[in-house]
Amino acid sequence: MAPSPSRAHSHSVMTLICAIVHLVAAVQFTFAVFYDWTRVIIPPHVQEMGSGFGGKFVFLTFWDAILQSVYFTIALINDAAGDHSPNPSNPPLIRRIKDYIFASFAFPIAMFVAITFWSIMAIDRELVLPEKLDKYFPTWLNHIMHTNIAIFILLEMFLSCRKYPSKKSGLIGLTTFMAIYLSWTFVIYFNTNHWVYPVMEHMDWPSRICFLLAMLAFCLILYLVGDFINRKRWGQDAGYTKISQKQKVNGANGKSIHQD
């Protein structure tokens, strides 16, 4: 059955809104990465991190800004040449890539960076963004890197439908990403004798290990939160299977029910 004219019009309007959001986000985050890389020059005597070994790549915030610029660029390409329908039966490759990157990386990493940065900032800003850096790292860039990432990824969650991968696939992808970054923090330390984030300077080794494991666990929880929100917002449109009362009874009786 063909969709009604009103439904088709509503879908077209939503597609246009999503494309505008994707364009603004892609331009914004790409410019932020470019500006941070080329214009934010912090003298080593002010802060070694970001100006010495590893450059800007020592910070998860910089990784995330690149990730968001890549994700929203892919989303924009999908708007133009892919498939923006809620749950296509045979989605093109660009749509599958877009959905996987959002679920496994873009949403949990953006929310992790925003929540942890502003939480620690509220306790003691010297632990994440010392006041001495204000003359080098402008406020507007700080908000793009640590505030707008959450705003735009939440807009994306509620405006654009996607199909989440299986939990196994998504969590493996996210765990691999975070394991690479957390391992990188040790490489940085052994080359500079400084931890990327000042808060870790005040910890002993057991506390640091627990801190890093807690970071990983929090990211994995945020993946599950994203999956939950997506399920509640989009339901069957996103490919989630609705469990009937009969299936629930069968499940209670020990019969297997498979659901991603």
Side-chain angles (χ1 to χ4, degrees):
M1 181 182 296
S4 65
S6 60
R7 183 178 177 84
H9 176 72
S10 176
H11 176 69
S12 298
V13 171
M14 186 58 69
T15 300
L16 177 61
I17 292 173
C18 287
I20 293 172
V21 170
H22 295 158
L23 176 61
V24 172
V27 171
Q28 173 184 207
F29 295 124
T30 300
F31 176 74
V33 170
F34 170 78
Y35 188 93
D36 192 17
W37 182 261
T38 62
R39 299 295 184 88
V40 178
I41 309 298
I42 302 174
H45 70 272
V46 175
Q47 177 176 283
E48 183 176 350
M49 288 296 104
S51 58
F53 178 83
K56 301 296 173 60
F57 284 97
V58 301
F59 300 116
L60 183 59
T61 292
F62 193 72
W63 285 38
D64 180 55
I66 295 173
L67 172 62
Q68 300 307 318
S69 64
V70 169
Y71 170 74
F72 282 105
T73 298
I74 290 174
L76 192 61
I77 295 171
N78 180 72
D79 293 333
D83 192 318
H84 199 267
S85 56
N87 186 27
S89 58
N90 187 27
L93 177 61
I94 191 70
R95 170 63 184 269
R96 298 198 300 271
I97 293 173
K98 167 186 172 290
D99 288 357
Y100 185 82
I101 292 178
F102 178 92
S104 300
F105 310 119
F107 180 84
I109 300 299
M111 296 307 297
F112 174 84
V113 169
I115 292 171
T116 54
F117 176 83
W118 289 112
S119 296
I120 298 175
M121 188 82 165
I123 297 170
D124 183 357
R125 69 164 297 177
E126 295 300 311
L127 297 176
V128 286
L129 186 66
E131 190 173 355
K132 63 185 179 182
L133 299 182
D134 286 351
K135 64 182 295 186
Y136 305 100
F137 194 76
T139 300
W140 63 265
L141 182 59
N142 180 35
H143 281 295
I144 289 178
M145 295 286 208
H146 296 110
T147 306
N148 291 8
I149 52 167
I151 293 173
F152 276 85
I153 210 67
L154 287 171
L155 281 174
E156 175 71 351
M157 172 67 83
F158 287 97
L159 290 176
S160 179
C161 182
R162 84 240 359 115
K163 183 175 182 179
Y164 258 62
S166 66
K167 285 186 174 65
K168 179 180 179 180
S169 174
L171 290 173
I172 286 176
L174 177 58
T175 301
T176 301
F177 180 95
M178 286 300 295
I180 291 172
Y181 177 74
L182 296 179
S183 299
W184 171 231
T185 65
F186 285 95
V187 174
I188 297 165
Y189 173 75
F190 289 119
N191 278 273
T192 66
N193 203 36
H194 291 287
W195 292 101
V196 175
Y197 302 103
V199 64
M200 296 180 68
E201 300 284 359
H202 304 279
M203 299 178 179
D204 56 20
W205 273 100
S207 298
R208 291 186 189 113
I209 298 299
C210 290
F211 177 75
L212 295 176
L213 290 176
M215 288 174 62
L216 175 59
F218 186 38
C219 268
L220 299 182
I221 290 171
L222 287 170
Y223 174 92
L224 299 177
V225 170
D227 191 16
F228 175 81
I229 295 174
N230 195 61
R231 182 187 299 268
K232 290 297 183 182
R233 172 64 180 91
W234 298 105
Q236 288 179 286
D237 283 343
Y240 293 102
T241 303
K242 186 176 181 181
I243 302 178
S244 66
Q245 188 63 36
K246 182 178 179 179
Q247 287 175 307
K248 291 179 181 179
V249 172
N250 289 338
N253 291 333
K255 296 183 178 180
S256 175
I257 298 175
H258 174 72
Q259 183 180 14
D260 286 339

